[in-house]
Amino acid sequence: MSSQGLGGGIGVTSGFTRLCKGLAVVLISGHVILHVFPSFISYLALIPARTIPFAWNLVTAGYVEQHVIGVILSTIGLLFIGRLLEPVWGSKEFLKFIFVVNFLTSVCVFVTAIAMYYITTQENYLYTPLSGFHGVLAGFLVGIKQMFPDQEISPLKIKAKWIASLFLLPCIAVSFIVPESAPYLPTILFGTYTSWIYLRYLQKKPETNLRGDPSDEFSFSTFFPEFLRPVIDPIASIFGRLLCGRSEASTDAKGYMLGGGGAALPGSDPAEASRRRERGARALEERLAAGASNEDHLSHKDAAENV
């Protein structure tokens, strides 16, 4: 295993995939369109009172940034995290992940806004335009947690398995301190949770035709401090059964159970999840080695030119 962290060893601008570049163009174009035609926000952003009949905004809202800072951060996050995840998942699965997480996040935000309106009768829950790629970015961090849990993020000196949780904490704190940031919080929270649901239960593994990652290292309670896990685990298992119709085994022969029959799906075990993470680590090491090779090549070239 490479000792280099996720933050080092790869050229700053090297390795961006064609798909990520294309999606970055979509994000930038969406922001430009809103800047030139401000009225388009009514049709592209998620405005709960207008979602019916404008249901397409459940999809378009995630790719439209209303502010310059948002489009810059989203583009940077997409390019840098995408070059880690896409080679491991494949372009098709990477794009599917983005679409599914974005759509499910929008649906959850829509339902929450409607519920908050009925609870508080405040119309701002119905008419505030909500949009942005930050829900998917939060989901990317969950993917990093799954694929590279023990890799160190160089600038921060922390393991990647904590990055999703550490991202949520300041977001929650800021939403209480800065009221203007509160509308972004549901998207980030639901982006994190729906991405975990997708990766935990739904993501198809082509090599086995099975779905999900049942390993203990990727259970929902691992997002929380260890002393809270005995409380979180029972709650998470309830939501898992409600959302997916499956229960997680708690014995050494862990795997997904079929209904109430107690028969584990063949091959759906922690060993498979471990192999998957090993493939992710190998892919990362290959990218680190490629980045180092490119840097050596450039340094030799510069030296030759100086001579």
Side-chain angles (χ1 to χ4, degrees):
M1 185 70 65
S2 172
S3 61
Q4 291 175 288
L6 289 174
I10 303 177
V12 174
T13 59
S14 66
F16 298 146
T17 68
R18 182 177 300 178
L19 175 58
C20 288
K21 291 177 182 177
L23 290 172
V25 171
V26 171
L27 294 178
I28 296 171
S29 300
H31 176 72
V32 172
I33 290 173
L34 286 188
H35 183 73
V36 177
F37 305 103
S39 61
F40 278 28
I41 194 171
S42 299
Y43 303 96
L44 298 177
L46 175 61
I47 302 177
R50 297 172 61 91
T51 299
I52 300 173
F54 298 163
W56 61 78
N57 62 34
L58 291 171
V59 175
T60 59
Y63 309 105
V64 177
E65 291 287 354
Q66 300 181 44
H67 306 289
V68 174
I69 294 179
V71 74
I72 292 174
L73 294 178
S74 293
T75 301
I76 293 174
L78 170 64
L79 292 174
F80 279 89
I81 301 179
R83 71 177 180 178
L84 294 174
L85 293 178
E86 186 183 343
V88 179
W89 288 346
S91 297
K92 183 178 179 180
E93 176 59 33
F94 183 73
L95 184 61
K96 181 181 177 182
F97 174 86
I98 292 174
F99 178 83
V100 171
V101 171
N102 173 59
F103 178 73
L104 292 180
T105 299
S106 294
V107 171
C108 292
V109 170
F110 168 73
V111 173
T112 301
I114 297 297
M116 291 301 296
Y117 166 72
Y118 281 108
I119 292 172
T120 66
T121 67
Q122 296 183 21
E123 292 190 349
N124 62 300
Y125 288 110
L126 295 182
Y127 294 100
T128 300
L130 304 171
S131 66
F133 198 67
H134 41 285
V136 177
L137 289 181
F140 284 162
L141 298 182
V142 178
I144 292 290
K145 170 184 172 66
Q146 181 198 37
M147 298 308 303
F148 314 106
D150 295 319
Q151 285 288 332
E152 186 180 85
I153 300 177
S154 296
L156 303 177
K157 298 299 181 182
I158 60 173
K159 290 187 176 181
K161 62 183 177 182
W162 299 117
I163 191 65
S165 303
L166 293 176
F167 175 69
L168 287 177
L169 288 176
C171 289
I172 295 172
V174 170
S175 68
F176 285 101
I177 299 172
V178 183
E180 292 79 7
S181 66
Y184 296 96
L185 183 60
T187 302
I188 294 173
L189 292 177
F190 286 123
T192 300
Y193 188 65
T194 57
S195 62
W196 177 79
I197 287 290
Y198 177 77
L199 295 173
R200 179 72 166 177
Y201 297 105
L202 304 177
Q203 186 182 52
K204 188 175 181 179
K205 296 177 282 189
E207 63 275 11
T208 61
N209 287 326
L210 298 174
R211 295 181 183 274
D213 180 353
S215 64
D216 287 340
E217 294 82 1
F218 195 56
S219 64
F220 188 67
S221 62
T222 60
F223 288 84
F224 299 86
E226 191 168 352
F227 70 90
L228 291 176
R229 294 178 187 178
V231 178
I232 299 298
D233 277 328
I235 298 174
S237 65
I238 293 172
F239 280 100
R241 287 192 292 269
L242 289 175
L243 290 170
C244 304
R246 293 167 175 170
S247 61
E248 299 177 42
S250 59
T251 63
D252 292 337
K254 290 181 177 65
Y256 292 140
M257 311 300 288
L258 293 173
L265 290 174
S268 180
D269 56 58
E272 179 58 42
S274 177
R275 287 192 293 271
R276 198 177 203 190
R277 285 191 292 274
E278 289 174 1
R279 286 195 298 275
R282 285 198 299 271
L284 177 61
E285 289 181 351
E286 290 171 1
R287 299 192 71 79
L288 293 172
S293 176
N294 289 338
E295 291 175 357
D296 290 342
H297 175 72
L298 291 174
S299 63
H300 289 312
K301 182 178 179 181
D302 290 341
E305 290 176 351
N306 291 333
V307 172

